[in-house]
Amino acid sequence: TASFVGAYELRHVDAHLPSAQLQESFDLLNIDRSKPFVHQGEMLLNSIVSSVYEIAEIFGRWDELR
């Protein structure tokens, strides 16, 4: 769920996060800031979707895990 934390922190970057924490947020999302913005957006979406998929897999195996 680190990607959710990173996305949430980026959401508040303008008003709340000091610039030092900005890179930490990008790191949580595995975003390479040297890439073009469109690729960074793709990395952001990929990170979030991967986390959602992992959570869905856990719920799908819920009966096996109990």
Side-chain angles (χ1 to χ4, degrees), residues 8 14 37 50 64:
Y8 181 77
D14 288 334
F37 292 129
S50 294
E64 297 171 23

Side-chain angles (χ1 to χ4, degrees), residues 29-66:
L29 291 159
N30 297 316
I31 294 176
D32 181 355
R33 294 188 67 199
S34 67
K35 302 288 184 184
F37 292 129
V38 70
H39 292 274
Q40 291 181 39
E42 178 188 11
M43 291 176 210
L44 169 68
L45 289 172
N46 185 32
S47 183
I48 295 295
V49 169
S50 294
S51 293
V52 170
Y53 183 78
E54 287 179 33
I55 291 169
E57 280 189 334
I58 290 170
F59 282 131
R61 295 182 302 144
W62 189 258
D63 289 332
E64 297 171 23
L65 299 173
R66 290 193 307 165

